Amino acid sequence: MPVRRSIRGWPVPRAAGRAVFTRWRRAGARHLRVACAARAALGLLTGCGGVDPEANNGEVEGGYDVTLRWTPHGIPHVTAKDWGSLGFGVAYVAAPDSLCTLARAVLTARGAQARFLGPDEGRRDSDVLQRALLTPAVVAQAQRGQPQEVDALTRGWVAGYNRYLKDHPPDRRPADCKGAAWVRPIDADDAPRLALASALEAALGQVAGGAGAAILAASPPAPARGTAAVASVATPAIPGTVAAPVQDVHARRLPGGNAIAFGRDATADRRGLLLANPHHPWDGAGRMHAMHLTIPGVLDSMGAAPLTGTLVQVGFNRDVAWTHTASTSRRSTLHALQLLPGKPTHYRWGSTARALEQRTVTIDVLGSDGKVAPHRQVVWMSHLGPVVADAELPWTAGQAWVLRDATLLAARGAHTWLRLNTARSTADVLAALRTGQGMTWATTVAADRRGDTLFADIGLRPNVDYAFLVRCGLPTVSHWRAQRVLALHAAPACERPLDEAAA
């Protein structure tokens, strides 16, 4: 079929004002079916946004059955037979706009940026943190206990991404990654790893300037000769206040948004009305990607999600609409470890002693000479979380600080998105937040066709009340890196309690 360059520079069929369907069939096989509704605009054609229907119809490995259709303005519509096929289609429609961005997100989550792109611009440090915190055991744990629908969805997503790479070999990819060795097929571990990497970025970003640098800088002091005195945990040798002004990191570093939900008393037809105004970046893996998702009789939702998302994250279905804004709740706490005399890598825990884990990370780094060399770095871990250290929170002979974040290794958000996409009321939205892990960084605003509205700030966070603070808080430490923090004693009696109603 003759083709013409689209606005994005990808080939699309020469067809205006009509839908183009092409199919490839063979007995006993399920298929990918691509449709493109294109229209003329300023002498150029828009529509498929990177998919050539004539070239991309064929048998889909794995038994997936999905129809992809792009309507005017490049909105993808994914109609699938089952959850696995839906995941396949979602990955396939995200790739035309942002293949290079998706590939970079995978590279980041794998901790392999420096191997292909060099150590600059924080890539080496990012790789060390990803490898140190997102270990194979953590990734495996994230995959356990997920609903069958989520497992099928993520497996399909991996297959859809890989199929797009197969259909678009290196010489047919965008200029930013054309022929790049780092654009590679992904495996089953990459989907949960992407979710974990996103949670990690949000968790470490809660501290102004990022806590990642403090994790990498943590190094025990040289043991002093003789018996070292144990510093008092109640009076840490750091400033109690910081001269720099307190800043709201959520407004600077994390995605945010505005939302207004109108209930039955505020609308003419007494149905709910929702205005969603998410504030996400215009580039990178966090950029919102519009899509319409359908599994006949099971799911029919429309809206947007980050490029690595497998389901609509801000959107609506027939009965309910939902969106998110930045939550100001603190997800992390600092804990002061009391170290053993003469042993700065061992700490007291009640009547026992524990050793810090010395986690050695080795990554490959591309040098300016074009050669790859190993880089080794140690990250120190306690059972509460990673050790942090800087000028404000020094690691002394008697005391070290650890960062414990409730969302640091949260990867069960897909369960929440699944329940939101299939919700039928604001009550269902509330149940979705309570059943899964809620939101790792956001509040939720929703409205339904019955005229009910909802505002909820439900998610993983420290379960700390006033009585707990009186018993376990360290009032002398109120700020770190120009931001308010919650500092606690590190002791069994000061473990953050679990709420019986919390998943």
Side-chain angles (χ1 to χ4, degrees):
M1 177 181 293
V3 298
R4 179 180 298 182
R5 304 302 290 179
S6 75
I7 290 176
R8 295 191 183 94
W10 287 87
V12 299
R14 186 185 297 277
R18 64 185 180 90
V20 177
F21 291 84
T22 58
R23 300 188 180 187
W24 188 98
R25 291 189 174 279
R26 191 175 70 183
R30 294 181 181 177
H31 307 87
L32 168 69
R33 295 180 289 277
V34 180
C36 177
R39 66 188 180 91
L42 300 178
L44 297 174
L45 287 174
T46 61
C48 276
V51 176
D52 180 354
E54 193 68 23
N56 290 291
N57 281 273
E59 181 180 355
V60 178
E61 299 84 352
Y64 298 111
D65 190 346
V66 57
T67 298
L68 310 180
R69 184 168 60 94
W70 280 259
T71 49
H73 308 293
I75 305 300
H77 300 254
V78 181
T79 302
K81 183 177 181 179
D82 49 40
W83 290 103
S85 300
L86 185 75
F88 185 103
V90 168
Y92 204 98
V93 299
D97 285 342
S98 308
L99 176 62
C100 301
T101 301
L102 282 169
R104 278 295 301 271
V106 172
L107 199 66
T108 300
R110 287 177 170 178
Q113 293 186 89
R115 163 66 178 84
F116 295 96
L117 305 173
D120 299 337
E121 300 177 9
R123 289 186 288 264
R124 185 184 67 184
D125 290 350
S126 172
D127 288 351
V128 172
L129 285 172
Q130 299 290 338
R131 296 281 186 91
L133 300 179
L134 307 187
T135 63
V138 168
V139 174
Q141 176 63 31
Q143 292 176 295
R144 288 195 286 267
Q146 296 278 18
Q148 291 182 354
E149 298 92 335
V150 171
D151 286 339
L153 193 69
T154 53
R155 287 196 303 270
W157 195 90
V158 170
Y161 180 90
N162 289 340
R163 174 56 187 268
Y164 190 88
L165 293 185
K166 178 181 178 181
D167 289 343
H168 298 79
D171 61 343
R172 293 187 57 203
R173 295 170 188 168
D176 287 347
C177 59
K178 189 173 185 178
W182 47 268
V183 182
R184 298 181 171 187
I186 60 178
D187 57 37
D189 289 342
D190 284 311
R193 190 178 284 114
L194 282 167
L196 288 165
S198 178
L200 176 63
E201 180 181 2
L204 298 185
Q206 286 191 38
V207 179
I215 295 174
L216 296 177
S219 180
R225 293 185 178 181
T227 301
V230 178
S232 171
V233 178
T235 56
I238 65 172
T241 59
V242 176
V246 176
Q247 302 172 5
D248 184 359
V249 68
H250 293 272
R252 296 191 304 106
R253 295 183 61 84
L254 298 180
N258 297 318
I260 306 175
F262 299 92
R264 64 178 63 88
D265 294 336
T267 62
D269 62 2
R270 297 189 63 77
R271 294 184 178 184
L273 176 67
L274 180 70
L275 169 68
N277 177 217
H279 297 175
H280 277 245
W282 288 102
D283 55 9
R287 180 170 68 82
M288 299 297 274
H289 174 66
M291 55 188 177
H292 177 204
L293 309 180
T294 305
I295 302 176
V298 177
L299 169 74
D300 188 10
S301 62
M302 187 170 185
L307 291 169
T308 56
T310 55
L311 288 167
V312 170
Q313 296 187 11
V314 172
F316 60 93
N317 57 34
R318 178 180 175 84
D319 299 301
V320 63
W322 68 93
T323 188
H324 309 286
T325 64
S327 169
T328 57
S329 297
R330 300 301 175 190
R331 264 63 174 179
S332 59
T333 49
L334 286 169
H335 297 257
L337 298 179
Q338 184 179 2
L339 305 178
L340 301 184
K343 294 184 176 181
T345 60
H346 293 70
Y347 60 98
R348 299 185 186 278
W349 190 251
S351 60
T352 64
R354 296 192 179 194
L356 292 171
E357 177 190 352
Q358 184 177 348
R359 193 171 291 177
T360 302
V361 178
T362 301
I363 64 171
D364 290 332
V365 179
L366 179 66
S368 57
D369 58 359
K371 297 181 180 179
V372 176
H375 169 77
R376 294 179 178 84
Q377 188 161 344
V378 173
V379 173
W380 292 89
M381 301 288 297
S382 73
H383 76 286
L384 296 173
V387 180
V388 295
D390 60 13
E392 295 180 71
L393 300 179
W395 187 343
T396 67
Q399 183 173 278
W401 292 87
V402 297
L403 178 69
R404 188 180 186 189
D405 193 281
T407 67
L408 188 59
L409 301 177
R412 299 183 62 84
H415 189 187
T416 301
W417 302 126
L418 175 73
R419 296 286 299 271
L420 286 177
N421 276 251
T422 56
R424 292 293 175 261
S425 65
T426 54
D428 286 349
V429 172
L430 187 60
L433 297 173
R434 287 175 169 166
T435 303
Q437 289 183 328
M439 296 293 108
T440 56
W441 59 268
T443 65
T444 300
V445 183
D448 64 26
R449 65 168 44 245
R450 296 187 301 181
D452 290 327
T453 58
L454 170 71
F455 174 84
D457 190 359
I458 295 177
L460 299 174
R461 71 203 60 195
N463 181 21
V464 173
D465 59 16
Y466 181 73
F468 183 90
L469 284 177
V470 170
R471 184 174 74 255
C472 295
L474 290 172
T476 53
V477 181
S478 59
H479 298 86
W480 183 38
R481 296 184 168 233
Q483 185 185 338
R484 294 183 182 91
V485 294
L486 183 62
L488 304 171
H489 292 281
C494 295
E495 279 265 42
R496 298 194 311 224
L498 296 177
D499 190 318
E500 293 181 358

